[in-house]
Amino acid sequence: MIEIKNISKSFGKNAILKGMNVRIDKGEVVVILGPSGSGKSTFLRCINFLERADAGEISIGQTKVEFKKAKSKEILAVRRQTAMVFQQYDLFHHKSAIENIVEGLIVARKVPKEEAYEKGLELLSKVGLKDKRDAYPRQLSGGQQQRVGIARALALNPEVILFDEPTSALDPELVGETLDVIKKVAQTGVTMIIVTHEMSFAYEIADRVIFMEDGIIVEQGSPKELFEQTKEERTKQFLARFSR
Amino acid sequence: MDFDFAFMFEASLAALHYLPITLLLGFLPLIFGSAIGLGIALIRHYKIPILAVFFKWFVTIFKAIPVVLILLVSYLVFSDVFDTMADSLALSISFSDIDRRWIAIFALTLYATSGLSEIFRGALASIPKGQTDAASSVGLTNLQVLRRVMIPQVIPLALPLVNNMLISLIKASSLVSMVSVVDILNGAVIEANVNYRYLEAYVAVSIIYWGVCASIEAVTAGYEKYAHRSRRRQFA
């Protein structure tokens, strides 16, 4: 279970997050929707301290810490229970697919090399890229890179995987293969927070959908509640732009 | 105009005798300068308070001063300070006992440091922020991020420019005769002092400089080709 209380973050005078509370159960898949600039990405980045939130606290696994006061040891402890999949994939350019996956295992988790590579290979086949084990990121398509990114996150066996618009930078043709992999992972019971603009995907995969704007949660509920029995006017407006 | 090829050959032999000095004056400042320059680049990249500002000025100042002046000023300051210090510490060595080559290496290191720190700073800045984010997100400590993700990507980016710096240093080392160090240029000139055939001596030394720089180019080009190919070979 992950619980985030009263999280706030400003960049200068610009308040991005204004005291959000989110609680996520083990195995739950939460999709966050919202217009750009609403703070979705910042929320994810604050969870694993890529940005330092100004206030609020997080409890994840055995770790419970205030964002503002966290020391580097506690930050590391939170990071080692989370993993992130980035919009721009952000694979390590100088490492092959398999090396990208085992890096965190070997260096951060001190897993023996052989064991790490075994697990890495297993995950590569899971995302359908076993034959690309020694390929470098620039030799892979966007979709393939993102699948390696997902395998890298899975390798850490985290409490939660944070997906920051995982398909936004992909060619429309490659979105499908990446979403399929995410769905497959979701079925294995991994806890996930996904920021996305893919509505049908959100509807299909989410246990709960959160609509946020201006740093607060406007509305949340099951996909059925949010998409079909929308309560808030603002949510309706937002969703209307996506319905065909 | 007669050109004495025989003497040119003679002069180049005399000059080659000092080749190790010239190489030392190129490589040592490059090594020291890379180590210190990378440190300065990191301090400025991560905007460490006070130090970042201090080194910004350090680099700005030394970038703008000709090598000759760095060399002459180090010589004068060092010769002045050294004897006073030795006196006050009651040491029995004086400035004249000190190998002037160290002063030359010191001055060239100052020159190399400012240049190399800018090279590394540029390379660091050109690595996307996502690389650091990704490395932190898989649980690496800041030091591990630096060692395992940043530095390995900075080096290939900086290599062509570092190579350039080495060549600049080798050429700049020809100025050390001003602090009475004998390098290949000075060696050939000493030889020519006997018969005033300076042209032959200068041509001979030019050829040696060209040979040294061409070899450095060849080695780096070879390495870049190798690095490129070994990366391609791994294509699944």
Side-chain angles (χ1 to χ4, degrees):
Chain A
M1 194 199 73
I2 304 144
E3 190 163 19
I4 295 140
K5 279 188 199 155
N6 195 29
I7 183 171
S8 307
K9 169 75 184 167
S10 305
F11 290 108
K13 282 181 183 161
N14 212 350
I16 304 294
L17 299 176
K18 300 172 184 164
M20 279 170 58
N21 294 297
V22 180
R23 204 189 127 125
I24 294 156
D25 291 323
K26 197 162 175 59
E28 196 180 10
V29 176
V30 174
V31 169
I32 302 181
L33 303 177
S36 47
S38 59
K40 308 174 304 263
S41 291
T42 307
F43 176 65
L44 290 193
R45 293 173 61 82
C46 284
I47 292 179
N48 66 353
F49 289 91
L50 291 181
E51 304 287 353
R52 179 74 85 126
D54 304 324
E57 60 175 59
I58 179 171
S59 78
I60 177 169
Q62 307 296 317
T63 316
K64 187 174 177 180
V65 64
E66 274 179 61
F67 285 114
K68 185 109 194 235
K69 289 182 187 159
K71 297 188 186 70
S72 47
K73 226 178 185 170
E74 293 162 323
I75 292 175
L76 219 56
V78 173
R79 282 184 180 156
R80 287 182 179 175
Q81 297 174 76
T82 59
M84 192 146 178
V85 175
F86 297 88
Q87 185 175 359
Q88 298 291 341
Y89 337 126
D90 294 333
L91 298 184
F92 306 126
H93 299 323
H94 61 304
K95 291 184 183 293
S96 66
I98 185 95
E99 286 168 350
N100 261 282
I101 297 172
V102 299
E103 180 72 12
L105 284 177
I106 295 173
V107 180
R109 300 278 169 88
K110 313 275 180 237
V111 173
K113 246 186 183 163
E114 229 166 84
E115 198 180 308
Y117 272 85
E118 213 171 283
K119 185 162 189 190
L121 211 57
E122 184 192 309
L123 286 165
L124 267 181
S125 21
K126 197 169 179 179
V127 298
L129 291 172
K130 200 174 180 184
D131 55 332
K132 297 290 183 195
R133 91 179 270 255
D134 294 321
Y136 281 82
R138 60 197 168 81
Q139 297 162 329
L140 299 171
S141 73
Q144 290 170 333
Q145 288 190 50
Q146 194 56 298
R147 277 143 68 192
V148 174
I150 294 167
R152 178 172 69 181
L154 279 173
L156 302 165
N157 201 16
E159 288 281 321
V160 59
I161 303 184
L162 313 166
F163 291 83
D164 187 8
E165 302 196 28
T167 58
S168 297
L170 292 173
D171 285 345
E173 277 191 329
L174 301 174
V175 170
E177 64 179 51
T178 310
L179 293 182
D180 286 343
V181 168
I182 300 175
K183 278 183 214 161
K184 213 164 98 184
V185 173
Q187 282 157 10
T188 61
V190 179
T191 315
M192 298 185 186
I193 307 178
I194 306 172
V195 169
T196 185
H197 292 296
E198 300 285 333
M199 294 301 154
S200 55
F201 167 72
Y203 189 92
E204 207 178 315
I205 195 175
D207 296 314
R208 178 160 45 122
V209 182
I210 294 176
F211 175 71
M212 65 179 283
E213 187 173 38
D214 285 336
I216 51 163
I217 294 175
V218 176
E219 184 171 356
Q220 59 178 315
S222 71
K224 222 176 169 67
E225 286 167 350
L226 199 102
F227 286 108
E228 288 162 17
Q229 303 148 19
T230 319
K231 290 190 201 86
E232 299 290 329
E233 197 50 43
R234 183 63 189 107
T235 320
K236 279 181 194 161
Q237 274 176 14
F238 177 78
L239 293 174
R241 272 189 288 140
F242 288 92
S243 56
R244 274 157 277 179
Chain B
M1 190 178 113
D2 67 321
F3 191 89
D4 188 343
F5 281 99
F7 180 70
M8 189 187 90
F9 183 69
E10 221 171 282
S12 32
L13 284 185
L16 276 174
H17 181 69
Y18 295 99
L19 184 60
I21 307 286
T22 290
L23 291 178
L24 202 71
L25 291 171
F27 278 95
L28 274 188
L30 186 83
I31 294 165
F32 296 151
S34 293
I36 307 168
L38 184 60
I40 293 177
L42 288 170
I43 286 169
R44 294 185 64 192
H45 184 75
Y46 290 108
K47 301 195 176 68
I48 312 279
I50 304 168
L51 283 180
V53 178
F54 172 79
F55 282 118
K56 178 180 174 249
W57 283 103
F58 171 88
V59 171
T60 309
I61 289 167
F62 278 96
K63 216 163 50 172
I65 301 178
V67 198
V68 187
L69 290 179
I70 302 181
L71 201 61
L72 290 174
V73 170
S74 330
Y75 182 80
L76 288 178
V77 170
F78 200 70
S79 61
D80 213 37
V81 172
F82 189 86
D83 280 347
T84 337
M85 282 229 316
D87 269 354
S88 64
L89 292 171
L91 296 174
S92 59
I93 45 168
S94 74
F95 177 66
S96 47
D97 302 327
I98 299 295
D99 193 334
R100 306 289 150 90
R101 282 176 293 189
W102 288 111
I103 298 170
I105 287 168
F106 172 78
L108 289 171
T109 300
L110 271 182
Y111 164 69
T113 301
S114 61
L116 287 162
S117 82
E118 290 291 78
I119 291 171
F120 288 125
R121 197 166 66 94
L124 278 168
S126 69
I127 294 174
K129 174 138 196 318
Q131 295 288 301
T132 326
D133 286 348
S136 304
S137 82
V138 299
L140 267 54
T141 63
N142 290 342
L143 211 65
Q144 287 168 335
V145 173
L146 200 63
R147 217 184 60 228
R148 304 199 46 99
V149 176
M150 298 295 273
I151 305 284
Q153 294 191 53
V154 159
I155 287 171
L157 277 172
L159 200 66
L161 291 167
V162 171
N163 171 52
N164 227 10
M165 175 54 81
L166 177 59
I167 287 170
S168 297
L169 280 169
I170 299 260
K171 289 189 293 185
S173 73
S174 62
L175 298 165
V176 296
S177 63
M178 307 194 80
V179 294
S180 51
V181 174
V182 184
D183 68 328
I184 51 176
L185 173 59
N186 214 2
V189 169
I190 291 168
E191 195 74 6
N193 281 342
V194 185
N195 57 7
Y196 299 103
R197 289 204 167 269
Y198 289 108
L199 180 66
E200 283 84 347
Y202 292 148
V203 172
V205 179
S206 299
I207 293 171
I208 297 175
Y209 276 118
W210 180 81
V212 170
C213 293
S215 330
I216 293 170
E217 287 281 10
V219 170
T220 345
Y223 173 78
E224 276 171 23
K225 213 168 163 185
Y226 159 80
H228 188 69
R229 213 180 325 145
S230 73
R231 247 179 259 160
R232 261 221 313 248
R233 205 185 303 131
Q234 304 218 23
F235 187 47

